[in-house]
Amino acid sequence: MTSWPTSESLSEHIAKVMGGYPGPHKSLEVNMERATGLQAALETHLHISSEGVSAERKTIFMKNQLFKSVVNEASDRDDPIRVAAAELLGFPVMPEEAIDAALAASAPSWLGEEDERKRRDSVTFRLFIAVLAKGTPLVSVESARTYRRDQCAPLVANLLTNYLQDHWQEARSEAKKFGYIPLLGEPEEVEQTIGDASTIDSPAKVRPALPLPVAVRTVLAAHPEWRLEYANLDTTDKTPIDWNVVLDGGQLSPAYARHDAIITRRVELDGREYTTLQLLEHLDSRFGKTFFVTGDAGDGKSTYVNSLIAAAKTTHVFLRWSNYYEPYDHGCLAQFQGEVDELIEPTTWTPIVVYSIDRYIGQNLDSHLRAGLHARALSGNDRSVVVLDGRWSDYDGVRADLRVRSVNLLPLNATEATSWAKLITRARDNLIEEGLSEEDVSTQYPNLADFIDLRLHAQASCLQARDSPLLVKLIKAVYGQDMVQKVWSELDRLTAEDKQAYCHVCLATVTGVKLTSPMLAALAPGVNLIDRANRDPWVYHAREHKARHQVIAQVLLESQPHVVLDQLPSDYADRFRLNEIVSGLMYMVKPLRGLESVGNEDATNRVRKWTIEGIRSALRPMNRLESTLTGVAGDNYDHLCRFAESFIALLSDKLRAQADDNARWLAVARHLLETAAAAPNCPGQDQIGFEILKIEWREKEVFEQLEFRTAVDLLGKMTKAFGDQWCERPYYGEIFRDSLKMLKMLPLDVVSVDDSRDLESVYTWLSKSYHRLRSLSEGANVSPHQRSNFLESYTSHLFVHLPDKSLELVEDSWHYSMSLEVPDTALTTFYVEQIICMFRELPKEERDRRIDEAFKGLIEVAMAEKWAVEPLLTMTILEAKTKRLSKVDDLPTRLENIRRAAEEALKENDSALNTSFAHHLRALLTNSPDERVKLLVDALDGYNKCIPKEKNTVGMTRRLAFAWNQACIELRRCKKGDIAVKYEQLYQGRVAEGG
């Protein structure tokens, strides 16, 4: 067997692992696999056998256990040679901003473009970082390799030898977790033990199952192409935390939990309050579900998610979607789960995928989340739990077609606020303990001393106030300024170049654009990247410059004058030769369109308006815009479509006001989409065809050519783009809006025969798209405005446009809503009302069928919407008309059940309309004539008050027509014809008022 090598021999092995093998450069992992002599020496020294252990696992053990421990155990962590050695072994230590600054200043000739692109995945680039750590990056490649061989490798050789002497048993135990078989006997007996191993029938020879964390790391290491990052707290990581992040209100990573620096928060889910541990328990049994942590901007949503990760049980595997610019992929998650199961003992574990929605993703939900989560739902066997976090508008954007459950952050209570106050004091104390003087702390945080001098109760009260999010309260506590004053003070002390750069950082942050160091250096020449990116005033993380928080970024932009907002896009346009710059400018348009207010709506509107206008101004004089963009996007389908979406988002709200500009943006968007249709990764022509038809629709609007017949033709083509199942595709919302537009093109008067055929199609499209919208998230995604427009069209306009087809279309609409299990109270009761009104005109067989359907529908609506009295009232009127219930059930009992249901509904919803329906229902159920008349008059007075006095109230007036008429009929039965006439005349007056 191979004995433990000498220092010189061991140094040679390690130098080769670091990249010193002759011939073409291989990856670090490949080099470790080739180091068979080193592996054999390790097995001998640790008394272990690698029988049955794959080369991949040997590599993971060598790198992630031995070399990582060796690097972390080094006494002088700042020693340049130690830093260089760590980088050469694949452990990032050098700050990205220092590397980027060195590259921007100068780079050695032996560092190629491909090396810079691959960065730490390149052996040569790691060698460049190593000599950069030494302080002499411009040496020759021969000198760099000599430094690696003569200084870095010997250091690791000595560290590894010392580590194995001090931690022999620990390293042996860790090897067992990776599948190595521990051998019996003392060191001198090892050779004999291995020689006899083949004759021993021992279960120890069977490769043991891996612990869950090791299995997770093993699988992820084998699939670097996946966008998954193991997020569970690494208990072996001793990297110190930055206490400035606590005082700045920044996002606290799970590592802060090691120092008790993440304050647990309470949340609300389905009306119930949960602690962090209770929510984790809840997630355990919710395989396949999606949760959304919601809250106001700056209220600590991402930190709360990190607190869940920090508190994870041993059976929780948190996975962070590490590249938010790539779509969510259900397939790789399913494969990940299967491969981990193969490596562990049969057990139940919960994969929890964390996915943060920033501004960029928020405007690209279709391509990033919907498709992947839809595929996950359709698979039927997904074990993962997905936890999203974002703003309320992001939640509204995904709950529309994904059954997402909202986890709402609750305001700080007294205990939580007190814990935060104590944490602020502890952060100050730790900064001083780490070497910052009290004077320096006071200079950096001018109000901190005064805040800490307050009584603890007073500190907690400041943080518990509900007038602003947590971030704003922290800013006031430590800086003594409101947010605007704070960002102004940060901006005032910067140089002109750094101010320009900070504004670009803030713009990129609020729009979700990835701003790299080369991009920022190009946009703001002369910027001091290294100093400014050290939280002074922005941060640099994962090769990206960002503001410390989105709220800070937006407040700064809102404080800037028009000339600054207009200039920022011009800086991009001036450097349009750089692909990153082109993509950055394109990708910020949609997020700007959807920019939400963080307190001052007027200021937000100004940022949105002037920055988008700045982009228009920057693009307007450009020639060959189409060829530039297609050159940048190449044949990448996703990039081409996103560029096209950006130009559509550039359209002014009033299409005809800026007809020339809008026509050009539409032409560019059409060109990009047509190019995307020819891309090799184009998923199909139906979606592209649909988008091009939408552009054609807008072009007709720009040039005032959108007539009713043209609109019908275009909308018909849009639905046909997806075949008969168009309403099952994610575009029914647009079909719904366009159908409404078309109906408003026609006056409420006589319709031609040709138009009537088209109108029948339009009403069908409107109905199916509306009910499909309601079927998602139990109707929560349909706004009151959308619902009133639909009901007005189906309960009023339809009977004017298509009187002969109206009942048939209403019935079809009702049947479709029932098939999707989303019965609508108003539509159902309206359908039943039409049956009652046409009771004598229908043939008996058809009448009986419709009546049975009507009772079934009313019962389902009453069960689904237990707060609504209207279906109960309609059921009672239908029974009085048909006596159908009394034939199949005990009528008094059934009517008593209806009365009780109505009283329960009133407890949930005592609105004026619901109360009026309840008066009407009680009137029909009472045996006292005088009481009946009084209740009917109360109901009619209530109906009258529920009709607004302004114009265009035909929808509510028409909705109440049936109940109003039935109340008047009942008054005549009570021999109160004079009162009935009075209210009938009142109704006609209200109809005239409503237009």
Side-chain angles (χ1 to χ4, degrees):
M1 294 295 293
T2 307
S3 61
W4 188 244
T6 64
S7 295
E8 292 77 13
S9 176
L10 185 58
S11 293
E12 288 183 22
H13 284 304
I14 293 172
K16 290 178 180 179
V17 168
M18 289 176 166
Y21 277 102
H25 289 156
K26 301 292 185 181
S27 69
L28 180 67
E29 287 71 22
V30 170
N31 288 339
M32 287 188 181
E33 287 182 17
R34 295 165 70 181
T36 53
L38 178 58
Q39 290 180 6
L42 286 169
E43 291 173 30
T44 301
H45 189 72
L46 294 174
H47 300 204
I48 55 179
S49 169
S50 62
E51 181 179 352
V53 182
S54 67
E56 181 179 89
R57 288 185 187 162
K58 292 179 186 178
T59 298
I60 295 172
F61 169 68
M62 187 184 295
K63 179 185 176 184
N64 291 344
Q65 179 56 42
L66 292 182
F67 284 138
K68 183 177 181 179
S69 298
V70 163
V71 170
N72 286 339
E73 286 286 323
S75 57
D76 187 359
R77 300 178 67 88
D78 295 324
D79 176 39
I81 302 178
R82 180 260 174 194
V83 173
E87 289 284 352
L88 290 167
L89 290 172
F91 302 108
V93 177
M94 281 287 290
E96 292 283 351
E97 57 265 34
I99 298 172
D100 288 334
L103 287 172
S106 58
S109 58
W110 45 268
L111 190 65
E113 291 183 4
E114 182 68 10
D115 298 313
E116 290 191 43
R117 186 186 67 79
K118 293 172 66 176
R119 294 183 74 92
R120 285 186 169 95
D121 290 335
S122 161
V123 170
T124 305
F125 195 87
R126 290 201 303 274
L127 187 58
F128 163 70
I129 300 177
V131 293
L132 176 63
K134 183 183 178 184
T136 54
L138 292 179
V139 299
S140 67
V141 67
E142 290 78 17
S143 298
R145 289 169 179 167
T146 301
Y147 175 67
R148 177 176 63 194
R149 184 189 67 237
D150 293 349
Q151 296 193 52
C152 299
L155 173 69
V156 175
N158 290 332
L159 290 173
L160 179 60
T161 301
N162 294 335
Y163 175 81
L164 291 176
Q165 288 176 352
D166 296 340
H167 302 277
W168 184 84
Q169 189 61 52
E170 179 183 333
R172 182 176 157 91
S173 299
E174 288 297 324
K176 183 178 178 181
K177 294 178 182 178
F178 283 82
Y180 287 83
I181 301 172
L183 300 175
L184 306 176
E186 297 301 318
E188 59 271 14
E189 300 172 343
V190 171
E191 189 167 350
Q192 179 63 39
T193 304
I194 294 177
D196 295 341
S198 60
T199 63
I200 300 174
D201 186 14
S202 169
K205 291 184 65 178
V206 179
R207 187 185 71 201
L210 297 181
L212 181 58
V214 177
V216 169
R217 291 190 178 95
T218 302
V219 171
L220 292 181
H223 295 280
E225 73 278 9
W226 290 348
R227 304 299 180 182
L228 296 173
E229 175 186 299
Y230 188 32
N232 285 45
L233 187 61
D234 184 358
T235 55
T236 66
D237 186 5
K238 307 301 182 184
T239 306
I241 64 172
D242 184 354
W243 288 97
N244 289 290
V245 179
V246 175
L247 297 178
D248 274 341
Q251 181 186 145
L252 304 179
S253 70
Y256 282 76
R258 294 201 313 268
H259 304 268
D260 296 323
I262 294 185
I263 306 304
T264 57
R265 297 278 298 272
R266 297 162 303 114
V267 294
E268 183 181 62
L269 172 63
D270 296 336
R272 177 186 165 189
E273 187 176 300
Y274 286 80
T275 65
T276 301
L277 294 179
Q278 287 171 337
L279 185 64
L280 283 171
E281 291 283 349
H282 184 79
L283 297 181
D284 267 343
S285 57
R286 298 302 185 274
F287 294 154
K289 301 297 183 184
T290 303
F291 297 82
F292 200 120
V293 178
T294 57
D296 294 325
D299 214 20
K301 299 179 292 296
S302 298
T303 294
Y304 175 75
V305 172
N306 287 339
S307 74
L308 289 176
I309 296 173
K313 298 192 302 184
T314 55
T315 55
H316 293 145
V317 173
F318 275 91
L319 300 165
R320 197 179 296 279
W321 202 256
S322 60
N323 187 343
Y324 298 140
Y325 297 91
E326 295 293 330
Y328 176 95
D329 185 354
H330 162 70
C332 76
L333 278 165
Q335 186 179 347
F336 164 79
Q337 294 168 33
E339 292 190 16
V340 170
D341 282 337
E342 291 178 0
L343 299 179
I344 63 175
E345 293 282 359
T347 187
T348 300
W349 58 284
T350 308
I352 304 174
V353 183
V354 176
Y355 198 113
S356 293
I357 301 180
D358 65 10
R359 296 292 177 82
Y360 175 78
I361 296 170
Q363 295 299 316
N364 293 279
L365 287 172
D366 281 335
S367 58
H368 277 74
L369 276 176
R370 285 198 178 99
L373 291 180
H374 269 306
R376 169 176 174 262
L378 292 173
S379 70
N381 59 357
D382 186 88
R383 294 209 326 267
S384 67
V385 176
V386 175
V387 177
L388 312 172
D389 77 86
R391 299 186 179 194
W392 285 107
S393 60
D394 300 323
Y395 172 63
D396 291 337
V398 296
R399 71 173 180 171
D401 53 356
L402 302 168
R403 297 190 180 276
V404 178
R405 299 174 65 190
S406 173
V407 178
N408 306 323
L409 274 178
L410 293 174
L412 295 182
N413 62 16
T415 302
E416 293 165 341
T418 300
S419 298
W420 258 108
K422 291 178 179 178
L423 178 60
I424 291 172
T425 301
R426 194 150 54 88
R428 189 275 310 265
D429 294 344
N430 277 283
L431 286 175
I432 293 173
E433 186 177 327
E434 290 171 1
L436 202 64
S437 69
E438 291 191 27
E439 183 179 352
D440 289 340
V441 172
S442 297
T443 301
Q444 189 169 345
Y445 304 109
N447 195 61
L448 183 56
D450 290 342
F451 177 80
I452 291 176
D453 285 343
L454 296 173
R455 290 179 178 273
L456 186 58
H457 175 74
Q459 294 175 7
S461 296
C462 294
L463 297 173
Q464 202 177 350
R466 299 193 179 188
D467 58 346
S468 55
L470 179 60
L471 171 65
V472 175
K473 288 180 283 196
L474 286 171
I475 292 290
K476 289 181 178 179
V478 300
Y479 293 102
Q481 302 167 313
D482 64 26
M483 191 68 78
V484 175
Q485 290 173 320
K486 169 58 183 165
V487 298
W488 267 105
S489 64
E490 287 183 341
L491 200 63
D492 279 347
R493 59 185 175 77
L494 299 179
T495 66
E497 294 81 4
D498 290 352
K499 284 182 182 179
Q500 183 185 13
Y502 190 24
C503 288
H504 275 296
V505 169
C506 291
L507 180 60
T509 301
V510 300
T511 56
V513 170
K514 186 171 184 177
L515 190 62
T516 64
S517 291
M519 285 176 68
L520 186 54
L523 292 169
V527 59
N528 183 347
L529 284 179
I530 294 179
D531 290 343
R532 296 290 77 80
N534 189 26
R535 304 191 68 80
D536 185 22
W538 69 83
V539 296
Y540 185 79
H541 176 68
R543 298 180 60 196
E544 183 176 358
H545 292 270
K546 283 188 174 183
R548 299 193 309 280
H549 197 281
Q550 284 191 1
V551 173
I552 293 175
Q554 187 165 332
V555 169
L556 181 135
L557 291 175
E558 290 178 356
S559 70
Q560 297 306 297
H562 160 231
V563 64
V564 173
L565 298 177
D566 190 62
Q567 180 60 37
L568 295 177
S570 296
D571 292 339
Y572 278 82
D574 291 343
R575 297 155 182 84
F576 232 47
R577 64 187 181 280
L578 302 175
N579 288 2
E580 281 186 316
I581 296 290
V582 176
S583 299
L585 185 62
M586 291 295 95
Y587 289 167
M588 68 175 57
V589 181
K590 285 182 68 181
L592 279 170
R593 273 285 191 186
L595 192 62
E596 296 176 58
S597 171
V598 291
N600 187 332
E601 187 67 41
D602 290 340
T604 304
N605 288 336
R606 191 168 56 81
V607 170
R608 186 187 302 119
K609 175 183 176 181
W610 289 116
T611 311
I612 289 178
E613 186 54 44
I615 296 173
R616 293 185 186 122
S617 299
L619 295 175
R620 197 173 286 128
M622 286 190 180
N623 298 318
R624 302 177 60 198
L625 194 52
E626 292 90 337
S627 60
T628 300
L629 293 167
T630 51
V632 171
D635 59 1
N636 187 299
Y637 172 84
D638 290 329
H639 289 325
L640 289 164
C641 288
R642 290 175 191 171
F643 285 0
E645 290 170 357
S646 297
F647 277 93
I648 292 171
L650 279 178
L651 298 173
S652 60
D653 294 331
K654 296 180 180 179
L655 288 176
R656 297 168 189 170
Q658 299 179 12
D660 292 341
D661 274 355
N662 290 331
R664 188 182 181 205
W665 308 145
L666 288 169
V668 174
R670 180 192 282 269
H671 173 82
L672 291 166
L673 289 174
E674 289 171 347
T675 305
N681 61 335
C682 176
Q685 297 299 313
D686 52 0
Q687 181 175 342
I688 288 289
F690 182 87
E691 298 294 340
I692 291 176
L693 286 167
K694 281 168 53 183
I695 288 177
E696 190 173 338
W697 177 293
R698 290 186 175 97
E699 288 173 337
K700 298 289 185 186
E701 287 184 301
V702 168
F703 296 111
E704 302 185 42
Q705 298 171 348
L706 191 65
E707 304 291 340
F708 176 74
R709 187 62 52 77
T710 306
V712 171
D713 181 57
L714 282 172
L715 197 56
K717 289 178 181 177
M718 289 182 197
T719 59
K720 289 176 183 176
F722 301 113
D724 295 336
Q725 302 303 313
W726 63 267
C727 56
E728 295 181 9
R729 300 299 292 266
Y731 300 101
Y732 33 76
E734 298 183 52
I735 299 292
F736 175 75
R737 289 191 295 273
D738 290 342
S739 298
L740 278 176
K741 281 183 185 178
M742 288 171 20
L743 289 178
K744 292 178 180 179
M745 293 178 185
L746 290 177
L748 287 176
D749 54 15
V750 179
V751 176
S752 70
V753 175
D754 289 339
D755 283 347
S756 67
R757 284 195 291 268
D758 291 335
L759 269 170
E760 189 173 341
S761 297
V762 175
Y763 275 107
T764 300
W765 296 332
L766 179 71
S767 167
K768 286 194 171 184
S769 55
Y770 171 76
H771 293 307
R772 177 60 64 175
L773 281 170
R774 290 193 70 249
S775 71
L776 305 165
S777 299
E778 301 174 351
N781 54 304
V782 176
S783 69
H785 179 68
Q786 288 174 316
R787 187 167 188 257
S788 69
N789 273 326
F790 169 77
L791 293 174
E792 183 175 344
S793 298
Y794 253 76
T795 64
S796 181
H797 299 168
L798 173 59
F799 287 81
V800 178
H801 285 150
L802 300 168
D804 295 336
K805 284 279 188 178
S806 57
L807 182 58
E808 180 183 335
L809 287 169
V810 170
E811 182 182 15
D812 289 344
S813 180
W814 179 75
H815 275 301
Y816 191 67
S817 73
M818 299 297 285
S819 71
L820 296 177
E821 299 181 351
V822 284
D824 183 281
T825 300
L827 183 65
T828 302
T829 53
F830 181 71
Y831 174 51
V832 175
E833 289 165 9
Q834 300 315 299
I835 295 175
I836 294 174
C837 292
M838 301 178 69
F839 188 76
R840 300 187 184 283
E841 301 173 24
L842 297 172
K844 183 178 185 307
E845 185 175 338
E846 182 182 350
R847 183 173 64 216
D848 289 345
R849 176 184 65 80
R850 289 182 183 274
I851 290 171
D852 287 340
E853 283 184 344
F855 274 119
K856 178 184 176 183
L858 287 168
I859 290 170
E860 288 197 26
V861 168
M863 293 177 65
E865 300 184 8
K866 296 183 178 180
W867 50 265
V869 178
E870 187 177 9
L872 301 171
L873 170 62
T874 309
M875 195 184 305
T876 307
I877 295 172
L878 185 60
E879 164 56 26
K881 187 81 172 177
T882 65
K883 306 298 182 186
R884 182 57 57 91
L885 289 179
S886 58
K887 296 178 182 178
V888 296
D889 201 353
D890 178 59
L891 183 60
T893 302
R894 177 61 66 93
L895 294 179
E896 181 58 31
N897 289 340
I898 291 175
R899 184 201 304 274
R900 289 175 182 170
E903 299 303 329
E904 290 300 318
L906 271 183
K907 291 178 183 177
E908 286 194 49
N909 176 12
D910 60 353
S911 67
L913 186 58
N914 226 30
T915 302
S916 302
F917 287 140
H919 287 323
H920 195 159
L921 176 63
R922 292 179 186 128
L924 298 179
L925 298 180
T926 184
N927 293 322
S928 167
D930 292 341
E931 180 69 12
R932 179 172 301 172
V933 170
K934 179 181 180 302
L935 287 169
L936 287 169
V937 169
D938 288 343
L940 286 164
D941 286 340
Y943 295 153
N944 183 46
K945 291 177 181 177
C946 289
I947 299 175
K949 296 193 175 183
E950 60 268 16
K951 293 285 186 182
N952 300 319
T953 58
V954 65
M956 179 58 79
T957 310
R958 183 65 187 81
R959 179 182 174 186
L960 292 175
F962 175 79
W964 197 307
N965 183 53
Q966 291 297 316
C968 290
I969 291 173
E970 198 62 35
L971 281 171
R972 282 193 165 84
R973 286 187 181 141
C974 296
K975 304 193 183 305
K976 298 295 181 180
D978 56 332
I979 301 177
V981 169
K982 169 189 166 186
Y983 279 101
E984 287 167 348
Q985 291 173 346
L986 176 60
Y987 177 78
Q988 295 303 323
R990 298 310 308 274
V991 170
E993 286 177 12

